[in-house]
Amino acid sequence: MTRGWKGGRLAALAVGATLALAACGSNSIDAETQENEKKAQAAGGACEELNMAVNPWVGYEASAYVVGTVAEQELGCTVNYKNLKEDVSWQGFATGEVDVVIEDWGHPDLEKKFFEGSGDGSAMDFGPNGNVGIIGWYVPPWLAEEHPDILEWENLNKYAQDFATSESGGQGQFLGADPSYVQFDEAIVENLDLDFKVVFSGSEAASIEAFEQAEKNKEFLIGYFYEPQWFMSVVPLEKVALPPYKEGCQEPPEDVDCDYPETVLKKIVSTEWAESGDPSVDLVKNFEWTNEDQNTVAKYISQDKMSQEDAAAKWVEENPDKVKAWLP
Amino acid sequence: MTATALRPPGAGARPEDDVAPVQRMRRIPRWALAVAVVVGWVVVWYFTKGTDTLTLGGRENTDTHDTLTSFRDWVLASRDTNPIVQLTTSIAEVFRSSVDWLQRMLSTANLPRPVPEVGWLGVTAVAAWVGLAIAGWRIALLVTASFLSFGILGFWQDSIDLLIVTFLAVLAAVVIGMPLAIWIATSARANSVVSVVLDLMQTMPTFVYLIPVVLFFGIGASGAVVATLIYALPPLVRIAGHGIRSVSPTTIEATDSAGQSRMQRLRKVQLPMARATIIVGLNQTIMAALSMATIASFVDGPGLGQPVLDGLKINDVGRAFVPGLLIVVIAVMLDRTTTAASERAENVARRGGHQHERRRKLLLAGTGLLALVLVYVSRVSLWAAEFPESELGTSLASVADSASTWVTDNLSSYTNPFRNEFTVLVLNGSDDRPGLQSLLAESPWYVTGAAIAVLALVVGGLRALLPTLVCLAGIYFLDLWHDAMITLTMTLVGTVLVMLLALVFGVWMARSRRTDLVVRPLLDAGQTIPPFVYLIPVLALFGPSRFTAIVAGIVYAAPAAIKLVADGVKGVPATTIEASRSTGATRWQEITKVQLPMARSSLVLATNQGLLYVLAMAVIGGLVGAGALGYDVVLGFSRSEEWGKGMAAGASIVLLGVMLDRITRAAAADRSAPREPSRTSRMRWGGI
Amino acid sequence: MTTIPRTGRSTAPQGATAGAEQPPAPGSGDAALSVRNLWKVFGPKADKVVGTPDADLSRQELKSKTGCVIGVRDVSFDVAPGEVFVVMGLSGSGKSTLVRCLTRLIEPTAGTVVLDGEDVTAASEAKLRELRRTHVSMVFQHFGLLPHRQVLDNVAYGLEVRGMSKKERRAKATEILDLVGLDGYETSYPDQLSGGMQQRVGLARALASDPTMLLFDEPFSALDPLIRRDMQNEVIRLHHELGKTMVFITHDLQEALKLGDRILIMRDGEIVQVGTPDQVVGAPADDYVRDFTSDVPRSHVLTLKWVMRDPRPGDSSEGPVMSSDTVVFKAARAALASAHPVRVVDGGELVGIVDDEAILRVVVAEETTEGSKP
């Protein structure tokens, strides 16, 4: 029993000590709470929550977090970032789980399903976000430098054997991309009579790693890539010229024999949210910036290893004029 | 005993009809028959290669796939009117609000409070106290260290979120799984139906059902909990069902004869007697739930998966490594805690000992009070509410990153040529010498199908042939034959390599305690770390290729196989070894003539598990350039119009898994060994 | 090997005669247990066998024809209150199935079982539970104890499922543990006890609910010989003290002879013979039983009834007087010591004469079989 008592005394001592410790600094939580309450009141409750889909690539994160940061700082919104792939994001419009997709590269099938007219009308096009997507065939810079003629598609067959790998069955290997992206490479290879086989990397990470290693080890590699992309600032890939895009040359898909068109990246939003009159609606409507802007923020995230929030906040601070133009 | 001798025939009866042909074949050794089949196959391949291979382009699909997609569209379109959806959304709401409430209590700011209701100090204290109460002070220390590591490495919130999601998913698994386990334990018919469904739940790649789950249960926490639940439920049902079924029939009979009701039998006899097994099932379910952490983050599931994926987005190995490591920490913590808690409860019961009960109560009351005080402190003072910033996580990340860079820079000049040699030699072959893949995938489909069926018959008898035929037919009708054969090739090659590793390391670990001590924790880590963490270094070493996928499969599958072999070899009785030594056997003879043959059932089990684990990584293969079924699944996950193809690919993976499982089990049973790879053994996450 | 005095004998009906052909007399209302035409057939469509010509097929034939296996075939017998009734047979003879059919641990295919006037075979599930809780208890070969419970709670289990309060049932269980000589082991766990002690727990559990009848399914087969003998004596003692009706399954003839008031011998699910020990040994129904009983020390089992000859006018009237149910072994010393043959007197009437030669025939025959063993 005495041991028990000794334990009890010890415990009491510990309790006393921790309580004493707790006494200091206890103000800060209360203070912040009150401050938050004040802030919420000041915002007047005009802005509700903003559900921002975050699709899994850095450029998208840059746009999403910049818009989100402005909405929080200037409009007092609560922004919920939701890490989702494109398909799932679109599904979320109808249930109110997603309000905004800030960078859409074109999803005809999803538009058909969710736009007014052909689909349930839960989603709508909210105009371009200012970024332009350049999809195409790229090679690592060392290759472009050493064999400049490789940048013309007509010369690709000459090098086909150099591109061969264990995966390409005796032909040259063309590295296809993450299946999320619109790709016609199998048709292009076939229709341009190229001695290549499309091997799908399966993920953006695999493509990036492959290009990085190819540049580092001076290996032959050609594959599907795109701008804006943070990796371009690490290894500036060179684009191979394919027969230029003409209206209609991508129809039907199995007959494609031309380059990818420049893609105007759009904002897609929930119809219900767009009609809610929330101040954040105007912000998203007005949001527009350049590839260069996006690349800057993407670089903060990927190269400087800043968190998405910090990277966005830094850009917002450095570009007050651009931000002002978006505000309602 | 008379009663057992007179059990109705059929229950223990052997299917006599399949004994006969096998015995006939016995006259020629089985391996010779198999070799003959393969030689014949090669000859046919030589003349027919490249015809009727049923190849389908990467972005092509067929009517079957479009039908599946339009079925999905139909479900989606009827979402608002479907009564099932109303049910699922209300269930989802329960999950969502529970997660949300727990998060505001423990992990995220409960606005307008800048911090959660209970800060890190309080949470850690309570967790440690729970550890102390259920498993003793060692575990309390382990729990404390684990929780502190969450904060020190900078992932406090994500770690707690993962624990919350895991907790809810496991809770739901228990609520749903225990009645199911009881049901399958008491009804043979229920057992056969349910275990097919469980097979499906365990082998169907998550990417296939993730989006439909989100459709019904919503994005974020609720979808994550449900997806996790689907994957984590089977181990509990299987193992608990097995435990309840294995309760000694004598005891059941004896207590029945005392006039107990069914409910009394269940509550007072079956459940208590199966308790230890049920806890093993619970443990496996927790591990399975954790392994879903990263996948669930694809649909905004909260937890450590998110930072892992963030790291992947910017190809930053270090940034993915640290949260991956914390997932391992959580897995080890929960594994050791459940195991210790179960052992301890057992011991307390054994000792019959409540001798120290009073002292224990006092201790628990005292420490409980202390924990409450710490909770209070963490509510009022900022230092105890928000984990102090620490650079340790970032420095660990950069260390991991530079280590990975160093390894890849220095080794890739060797690894890539090696990959090429290996791929050409084993997979591709040449024009006049087949590789495994060219044999399987470039033969006409009917030749490959026939060859596989005959091999199944040779290896496993009729019992293997029938499921093999059914599975092959299924794969044929799903229109992904060529891709399925490539996936099968990679699975077989991966399994052979896994078994080589398992033999070498398993025997080594069994024979040397020190090796075991060093290697085992590494195996635990290999089994629990998300593959997304090591994807990038492996890619750097081997490029986007099938070989990369095989390596990923090996990393994932080898730990379980090694453990099984080690435990099997260790289980060989010391007296047998002694007897062998007394005959003057060399060490090599001792291993090859005594230890390995006697551990045969473990070797079979390890092979069976190896196959299924490697196959489970097929989808990861799709993410690293291996193409085949894995790519199709990822494609279906990524593009909504391709969902049908992804679904078909997922179903093909299931069929491959069932086929390989049945063949190995039949082969094992056929050799008159105990029918070892039983239901319970088909768990991923090995260990039993 | 000693013979135990059988005081319970007087209550046992002596009427049953040897031979399986004659069905036992119809169950009188006061029989503790009455079994009529009991069948157990295992297999698909088992209920389609009884009452058809298939039922007359041999085990083998039935198996190959229908896939069914006969466990118990048309068994009828009565057990009187307080009697120790032994069912004996080799493994596979159906004896364990039979005893399980009595309380429907195995559901019989056909026939009736009446227990204390209650038709077990027609009882509802609730009624059956009631019977098991209060009327019959069973002791099992492999004990069937609950490993997660202390001895005390194992013994109290039957009372617990009845709904008796914890305090009450523990008091009762403590009392029973005393009775079987296990006081002091209340808080042990089963796996801390030896096999013999575990079976004592099993016995105590069966006694705790104070049933009118105890069923034993080869309870001592798993024990080593010395312990087995102790346990047999324990059963005999308890039978004296408590006077319960017992049905006892065994494959050990010695055990059957030692414990049984009457013995039922089974083969292939059928009754071969029902009778008192001396009937079974003295007048085996067929070669099967004869073979079975050939090793038995006959002098310990046979009574004078089996060796006496009819009195003749010239017989000496000076020999010692004994009753006809005196065991030969007991009579031997007195008979051999006396110069005159033993006079067997039942109820004051001289029923027979046993001379030295007759006694020696039994004893010496035994010696030779004994001696001829390797």
Side-chain angles (χ1 to χ4, degrees), chain B residues 223-288:
Chain B
V225 168
V226 175
T228 306
L229 170 66
I230 292 176
Y231 183 66
L233 183 63
L236 179 68
V237 178
R238 281 222 169 95
I239 302 178
H242 173 78
I244 296 169
R245 203 178 311 121
S246 315
V247 168
S248 143
T250 317
T251 311
I252 300 276
E253 201 170 38
T255 45
D256 269 356
S257 81
Q260 63 191 351
S261 65
R262 257 167 238 264
M263 205 55 206
Q264 286 171 325
R265 173 163 71 198
L266 186 65
R267 268 187 31 241
K268 293 170 190 278
V269 182
Q270 288 172 310
L271 290 182
M273 284 182 75
R275 220 203 49 190
T277 322
I278 293 172
I279 296 218
V280 171
L282 188 67
N283 179 306
Q284 296 293 301
T285 282
I286 293 173
M287 295 297 123

Coordinates of all heavy atoms in Angstrom, one line a residue, chain B residues 223-288:
Chain B
G223 N -15.7 8.0 -49.0 CA -15.3 7.1 -50.0 C -14.0 6.3 -49.6 O -13.9 5.1 -49.8
A224 N -13.1 7.0 -48.9 CA -11.9 6.4 -48.5 C -12.2 5.3 -47.5 O -11.6 4.2 -47.5 CB -10.9 7.4 -47.8
V225 N -13.1 5.5 -46.5 CA -13.4 4.5 -45.5 C -14.0 3.3 -46.2 O -13.6 2.2 -45.9 CB -14.4 5.1 -44.5 CG1 -14.9 4.0 -43.6 CG2 -13.7 6.1 -43.6
V226 N -14.9 3.5 -47.1 CA -15.6 2.4 -47.8 C -14.6 1.6 -48.6 O -14.6 0.4 -48.6 CB -16.8 2.9 -48.6 CG1 -17.4 1.7 -49.3 CG2 -17.8 3.5 -47.7
A227 N -13.8 2.3 -49.4 CA -12.8 1.6 -50.3 C -11.9 0.7 -49.4 O -11.6 -0.4 -49.7 CB -12.0 2.5 -51.1
T228 N -11.4 1.4 -48.3 CA -10.6 0.6 -47.3 C -11.3 -0.6 -46.7 O -10.7 -1.7 -46.6 CB -10.1 1.6 -46.2 OG1 -9.6 2.8 -46.8 CG2 -9.1 0.9 -45.3
L229 N -12.5 -0.3 -46.4 CA -13.3 -1.4 -45.8 C -13.4 -2.6 -46.7 O -13.3 -3.8 -46.3 CB -14.7 -0.9 -45.5 CG -15.8 -1.9 -45.1 CD1 -15.4 -2.5 -43.7 CD2 -17.1 -1.2 -45.0
I230 N -13.7 -2.3 -48.0 CA -13.8 -3.5 -49.0 C -12.6 -4.3 -49.0 O -12.6 -5.5 -49.0 CB -14.1 -2.9 -50.4 CG1 -15.5 -2.3 -50.4 CG2 -14.0 -4.0 -51.4 CD1 -15.8 -1.6 -51.7
Y231 N -11.4 -3.6 -49.0 CA -10.2 -4.4 -49.1 C -9.8 -5.1 -47.7 O -9.2 -6.1 -47.7 CB -9.1 -3.5 -49.5 CG -7.8 -4.2 -49.7 CD1 -7.6 -5.1 -50.7 CD2 -6.7 -3.9 -48.9 CE1 -6.4 -5.8 -50.9 CE2 -5.5 -4.6 -49.0 CZ -5.4 -5.5 -50.1 OH -4.2 -6.2 -50.2
A232 N -10.2 -4.4 -46.7 CA -9.8 -4.9 -45.3 C -10.7 -5.9 -44.7 O -10.3 -6.6 -43.8 CB -9.6 -3.7 -44.4
L233 N -11.9 -6.1 -45.2 CA -12.9 -7.0 -44.6 C -12.5 -8.4 -44.7 O -12.6 -9.2 -43.7 CB -14.2 -6.7 -45.2 CG -15.4 -7.5 -44.6 CD1 -15.6 -7.1 -43.2 CD2 -16.7 -7.2 -45.4
P234 N -12.1 -8.9 -45.9 CA -11.9 -10.4 -46.1 C -11.0 -11.1 -45.0 O -11.4 -12.1 -44.5 CB -11.3 -10.5 -47.5 CG -11.8 -9.3 -48.2 CD -11.9 -8.2 -47.2
P235 N -9.8 -10.5 -44.6 CA -9.0 -11.3 -43.7 C -9.8 -11.6 -42.4 O -9.7 -12.7 -41.9 CB -7.8 -10.3 -43.4 CG -7.8 -9.4 -44.5 CD -9.2 -9.3 -45.1
L236 N -10.5 -10.6 -41.9 CA -11.2 -10.8 -40.6 C -12.3 -11.9 -40.8 O -12.3 -12.8 -40.0 CB -11.9 -9.5 -40.2 CG -12.7 -9.6 -38.9 CD1 -11.7 -9.9 -37.7 CD2 -13.5 -8.4 -38.6
V237 N -13.1 -11.8 -41.8 CA -14.1 -12.8 -42.0 C -13.5 -14.2 -42.2 O -14.0 -15.1 -41.5 CB -15.0 -12.4 -43.3 CG1 -16.0 -13.5 -43.5 CG2 -15.6 -11.1 -43.1
R238 N -12.5 -14.3 -43.0 CA -11.9 -15.6 -43.2 C -11.3 -16.2 -42.0 O -11.6 -17.3 -41.6 CB -10.8 -15.5 -44.3 CG -11.3 -15.4 -45.7 CD -10.4 -16.2 -46.6 NE -11.1 -16.3 -47.9 CZ -10.8 -15.5 -48.9 NH1 -9.8 -14.6 -48.7 NH2 -11.4 -15.6 -50.0
I239 N -10.4 -15.4 -41.3 CA -9.7 -15.9 -40.2 C -10.6 -16.1 -39.0 O -10.5 -17.2 -38.4 CB -8.5 -15.0 -39.9 CG1 -7.6 -14.9 -41.1 CG2 -7.7 -15.6 -38.7 CD1 -6.4 -13.9 -40.9
A240 N -11.5 -15.2 -38.8 CA -12.4 -15.4 -37.6 C -13.3 -16.5 -37.9 O -13.6 -17.4 -37.0 CB -13.2 -14.1 -37.4
G241 N -13.8 -16.6 -39.1 CA -14.7 -17.8 -39.5 C -14.0 -19.1 -39.3 O -14.5 -20.0 -38.7
H242 N -12.7 -19.1 -39.7 CA -11.9 -20.3 -39.5 C -11.8 -20.6 -38.0 O -11.9 -21.8 -37.6 CB -10.6 -20.1 -40.2 CG -9.6 -21.2 -39.9 ND1 -9.6 -22.4 -40.6 CD2 -8.6 -21.3 -39.1 CE1 -8.7 -23.1 -40.2 NE2 -8.0 -22.5 -39.3
G243 N -11.5 -19.6 -37.2 CA -11.3 -19.8 -35.8 C -12.6 -20.4 -35.2 O -12.5 -21.3 -34.4
I244 N -13.7 -19.8 -35.5 CA -14.9 -20.2 -34.9 C -15.2 -21.7 -35.3 O -15.7 -22.5 -34.5 CB -16.1 -19.3 -35.3 CG1 -15.8 -17.9 -34.7 CG2 -17.4 -19.8 -34.8 CD1 -16.8 -16.8 -35.2
R245 N -15.0 -21.9 -36.6 CA -15.3 -23.3 -37.1 C -14.3 -24.3 -36.4 O -14.7 -25.4 -36.3 CB -15.1 -23.3 -38.6 CG -15.8 -24.4 -39.3 CD -15.7 -24.4 -40.8 NE -15.9 -23.1 -41.3 CZ -14.9 -22.4 -42.0 NH1 -13.8 -23.0 -42.3 NH2 -15.2 -21.2 -42.5
S246 N -13.1 -23.9 -36.1 CA -12.2 -24.8 -35.5 C -12.3 -25.1 -34.0 O -11.5 -25.8 -33.5 CB -10.7 -24.3 -35.8 OG -10.6 -23.9 -37.1
V247 N -13.3 -24.4 -33.4 CA -13.5 -24.7 -32.0 C -13.8 -26.2 -31.8 O -14.6 -26.8 -32.6 CB -14.7 -23.9 -31.4 CG1 -15.1 -24.4 -30.1 CG2 -14.3 -22.4 -31.4
S248 N -13.1 -26.8 -30.9 CA -13.2 -28.3 -30.7 C -14.7 -28.8 -30.7 O -15.5 -28.3 -29.9 CB -12.5 -28.7 -29.4 OG -13.2 -29.7 -28.8
P249 N -15.0 -29.7 -31.6 CA -16.4 -30.2 -31.7 C -16.8 -30.9 -30.4 O -18.0 -30.9 -30.0 CB -16.4 -31.1 -32.8 CG -15.0 -31.4 -33.2 CD -14.2 -30.3 -32.7
T250 N -15.8 -31.5 -29.7 CA -16.1 -32.1 -28.4 C -16.7 -31.1 -27.4 O -17.6 -31.4 -26.7 CB -14.8 -32.7 -27.8 OG1 -14.1 -33.3 -28.9 CG2 -15.2 -33.7 -26.8
T251 N -16.0 -30.0 -27.4 CA -16.5 -29.0 -26.4 C -17.9 -28.5 -26.8 O -18.7 -28.3 -25.9 CB -15.5 -27.8 -26.4 OG1 -14.2 -28.3 -26.3 CG2 -15.8 -26.9 -25.3
I252 N -18.1 -28.3 -28.1 CA -19.4 -27.8 -28.5 C -20.4 -28.9 -28.1 O -21.5 -28.5 -27.5 CB -19.5 -27.7 -30.0 CG1 -18.4 -26.7 -30.5 CG2 -20.9 -27.4 -30.5 CD1 -18.9 -25.3 -30.5
E253 N -20.1 -30.1 -28.3 CA -21.1 -31.2 -28.0 C -21.3 -31.3 -26.5 O -22.4 -31.4 -26.0 CB -20.4 -32.5 -28.5 CG -21.4 -33.6 -28.7 CD -20.8 -34.8 -29.4 OE1 -19.6 -35.1 -29.1 OE2 -21.4 -35.4 -30.2
A254 N -20.2 -31.2 -25.8 CA -20.3 -31.3 -24.3 C -21.2 -30.1 -23.8 O -22.0 -30.4 -22.9 CB -18.9 -31.2 -23.7
T255 N -21.0 -28.9 -24.3 CA -21.7 -27.8 -23.7 C -23.2 -27.8 -24.3 O -24.1 -27.4 -23.6 CB -21.1 -26.5 -24.1 OG1 -20.6 -26.5 -25.4 CG2 -19.8 -26.3 -23.2
D256 N -23.3 -28.3 -25.5 CA -24.7 -28.5 -26.0 C -25.5 -29.4 -25.1 O -26.6 -29.2 -24.9 CB -24.6 -29.2 -27.4 CG -24.6 -28.1 -28.5 OD1 -24.7 -26.9 -28.2 OD2 -24.5 -28.5 -29.7
S257 N -24.8 -30.5 -24.7 CA -25.5 -31.5 -23.9 C -25.9 -30.9 -22.5 O -26.6 -31.5 -21.8 CB -24.7 -32.7 -23.7 OG -23.7 -32.5 -22.7
A258 N -25.3 -29.7 -22.2 CA -25.8 -29.1 -21.0 C -27.1 -28.2 -21.2 O -27.6 -27.6 -20.3 CB -24.7 -28.2 -20.4
G259 N -27.5 -28.3 -22.5 CA -28.8 -27.6 -22.8 C -28.6 -26.1 -23.1 O -29.5 -25.3 -22.8
Q260 N -27.5 -25.7 -23.7 CA -27.3 -24.3 -24.0 C -28.1 -23.9 -25.2 O -28.4 -24.8 -26.1 CB -25.9 -23.9 -24.2 CG -25.2 -24.7 -25.4 CD -23.7 -24.5 -25.4 OE1 -23.2 -23.7 -24.7 NE2 -23.1 -25.3 -26.3
S261 N -28.5 -22.7 -25.3 CA -29.2 -22.2 -26.5 C -28.1 -21.8 -27.5 O -26.9 -21.8 -27.2 CB -30.0 -21.0 -26.2 OG -29.2 -19.9 -25.8
R262 N -28.5 -21.6 -28.8 CA -27.5 -21.2 -29.8 C -26.7 -20.0 -29.4 O -25.6 -19.9 -29.7 CB -28.3 -20.9 -31.1 CG -28.3 -22.0 -32.1 CD -29.3 -21.6 -33.2 NE -30.3 -22.7 -33.3 CZ -30.1 -23.7 -34.2 NH1 -29.2 -23.6 -35.1 NH2 -31.0 -24.7 -34.2
M263 N -27.5 -19.0 -28.9 CA -26.9 -17.8 -28.5 C -25.8 -18.0 -27.4 O -24.7 -17.4 -27.4 CB -28.0 -16.8 -28.0 CG -27.6 -15.4 -28.2 SD -27.2 -15.0 -29.9 CE -26.1 -13.6 -29.6
Q264 N -26.2 -18.8 -26.4 CA -25.3 -19.1 -25.4 C -24.0 -19.8 -25.9 O -22.9 -19.5 -25.5 CB -25.9 -20.0 -24.3 CG -26.9 -19.2 -23.4 CD -27.7 -20.1 -22.5 OE1 -28.1 -21.3 -22.9 NE2 -28.1 -19.6 -21.4
R265 N -24.3 -20.7 -26.8 CA -23.1 -21.5 -27.4 C -22.2 -20.5 -28.1 O -21.0 -20.5 -27.9 CB -23.7 -22.4 -28.5 CG -22.5 -23.1 -29.3 CD -23.0 -24.3 -30.0 NE -23.9 -24.0 -31.1 CZ -24.7 -24.9 -31.7 NH1 -24.8 -26.1 -31.2 NH2 -25.4 -24.5 -32.7
L266 N -22.8 -19.5 -28.8 CA -21.9 -18.6 -29.5 C -21.2 -17.7 -28.5 O -20.0 -17.5 -28.6 CB -22.8 -17.7 -30.4 CG -22.1 -16.7 -31.3 CD1 -21.3 -17.5 -32.4 CD2 -23.2 -15.9 -32.1
R267 N -21.9 -17.1 -27.6 CA -21.3 -16.1 -26.7 C -20.4 -16.7 -25.7 O -19.4 -16.1 -25.3 CB -22.5 -15.4 -26.0 CG -22.9 -14.1 -26.7 CD -23.8 -13.3 -25.9 NE -23.6 -13.4 -24.5 CZ -24.6 -13.9 -23.7 NH1 -25.7 -14.3 -24.1 NH2 -24.3 -13.9 -22.4
K268 N -20.7 -17.9 -25.2 CA -20.0 -18.4 -24.0 C -18.9 -19.4 -24.5 O -18.0 -19.7 -23.7 CB -20.9 -19.0 -23.0 CG -21.8 -18.0 -22.3 CD -22.9 -18.7 -21.5 CE -23.9 -17.8 -21.0 NZ -23.5 -17.1 -19.8
V269 N -19.1 -20.0 -25.6 CA -18.2 -21.1 -26.0 C -17.4 -20.7 -27.3 O -16.2 -20.6 -27.3 CB -18.9 -22.4 -26.3 CG1 -17.9 -23.5 -26.6 CG2 -19.7 -22.8 -25.0
Q270 N -18.1 -20.5 -28.4 CA -17.4 -20.4 -29.7 C -16.5 -19.1 -29.7 O -15.3 -19.1 -30.0 CB -18.4 -20.4 -30.8 CG -18.9 -21.8 -31.1 CD -20.1 -21.8 -32.0 OE1 -21.0 -21.0 -31.9 NE2 -20.0 -22.6 -33.0
L271 N -17.2 -18.0 -29.4 CA -16.4 -16.7 -29.5 C -15.2 -16.7 -28.5 O -14.1 -16.4 -28.9 CB -17.3 -15.5 -29.3 CG -18.3 -15.3 -30.5 CD1 -19.1 -14.0 -30.2 CD2 -17.5 -15.1 -31.8
P272 N -15.4 -17.0 -27.3 CA -14.2 -17.0 -26.4 C -13.1 -18.0 -26.8 O -12.0 -17.6 -26.7 CB -14.8 -17.4 -25.0 CG -16.3 -17.3 -25.1 CD -16.6 -17.3 -26.5
M273 N -13.5 -19.2 -27.3 CA -12.5 -20.1 -27.6 C -11.8 -19.7 -28.9 O -10.7 -20.1 -29.1 CB -13.1 -21.5 -27.7 CG -13.4 -22.1 -26.4 SD -14.1 -23.8 -26.5 CE -12.6 -24.7 -26.9
A274 N -12.5 -19.0 -29.8 CA -11.8 -18.6 -31.0 C -11.1 -17.2 -30.9 O -10.6 -16.6 -31.9 CB -12.8 -18.5 -32.1
R275 N -11.0 -16.7 -29.7 CA -10.6 -15.3 -29.5 C -9.2 -15.0 -30.1 O -9.0 -14.1 -30.8 CB -10.6 -14.9 -28.0 CG -11.1 -13.5 -27.8 CD -10.6 -13.0 -26.5 NE -9.2 -13.2 -26.4 CZ -8.5 -13.1 -25.4 NH1 -9.0 -12.7 -24.3 NH2 -7.2 -13.3 -25.4
A276 N -8.3 -15.9 -29.8 CA -6.9 -15.7 -30.3 C -6.9 -15.6 -31.8 O -6.3 -14.7 -32.4 CB -6.0 -16.8 -29.8
T277 N -7.6 -16.5 -32.4 CA -7.7 -16.5 -33.9 C -8.4 -15.2 -34.4 O -7.9 -14.6 -35.4 CB -8.4 -17.7 -34.4 OG1 -8.1 -18.8 -33.6 CG2 -8.0 -18.0 -35.8
I278 N -9.4 -14.8 -33.7 CA -10.1 -13.6 -34.2 C -9.2 -12.4 -34.1 O -9.2 -11.6 -35.0 CB -11.4 -13.4 -33.3 CG1 -12.4 -14.5 -33.6 CG2 -12.0 -12.0 -33.6 CD1 -13.6 -14.5 -32.7
I279 N -8.4 -12.4 -33.1 CA -7.5 -11.2 -33.0 C -6.5 -11.2 -34.1 O -6.1 -10.2 -34.7 CB -6.8 -11.2 -31.6 CG1 -7.9 -11.0 -30.6 CG2 -5.7 -10.1 -31.5 CD1 -7.6 -10.2 -29.4
V280 N -6.0 -12.4 -34.5 CA -5.1 -12.5 -35.7 C -5.8 -11.9 -36.9 O -5.2 -11.1 -37.6 CB -4.7 -14.0 -35.9 CG1 -3.9 -14.1 -37.3 CG2 -3.8 -14.5 -34.8
G281 N -7.1 -12.3 -37.0 CA -7.8 -11.7 -38.2 C -7.9 -10.2 -38.1 O -7.8 -9.5 -39.1
L282 N -8.2 -9.7 -36.9 CA -8.3 -8.3 -36.7 C -7.0 -7.6 -37.1 O -6.9 -6.6 -37.8 CB -8.6 -8.0 -35.2 CG -8.9 -6.5 -34.9 CD1 -10.2 -6.1 -35.6 CD2 -9.0 -6.3 -33.4
N283 N -5.9 -8.2 -36.6 CA -4.6 -7.7 -36.9 C -4.3 -7.6 -38.4 O -3.9 -6.6 -39.0 CB -3.6 -8.6 -36.2 CG -2.1 -8.2 -36.5 OD1 -1.7 -8.1 -37.6 ND2 -1.4 -8.1 -35.4
Q284 N -4.7 -8.7 -39.1 CA -4.5 -8.7 -40.6 C -5.4 -7.6 -41.3 O -5.0 -7.0 -42.2 CB -4.9 -10.1 -41.2 CG -4.0 -11.2 -40.7 CD -2.6 -11.0 -41.2 OE1 -2.3 -10.9 -42.4 NE2 -1.6 -10.8 -40.3
T285 N -6.6 -7.5 -40.7 CA -7.5 -6.5 -41.3 C -6.9 -5.1 -41.1 O -7.0 -4.2 -42.0 CB -8.9 -6.6 -40.6 OG1 -9.5 -7.7 -41.2 CG2 -9.7 -5.4 -40.8
I286 N -6.3 -4.8 -39.9 CA -5.7 -3.5 -39.7 C -4.6 -3.3 -40.7 O -4.5 -2.2 -41.4 CB -5.2 -3.4 -38.3 CG1 -6.3 -3.4 -37.3 CG2 -4.3 -2.1 -38.1 CD1 -5.9 -3.5 -35.8
M287 N -3.8 -4.3 -40.9 CA -2.6 -4.1 -41.9 C -3.2 -3.9 -43.3 O -2.6 -3.1 -44.0 CB -1.8 -5.4 -41.9 CG -1.1 -5.7 -40.5 SD 0.1 -4.4 -40.1 CE -0.5 -3.9 -38.5
A288 N -4.2 -4.6 -43.7 CA -4.7 -4.4 -45.0 C -5.3 -3.0 -45.1 O -5.1 -2.4 -46.2 CB -5.8 -5.5 -45.3

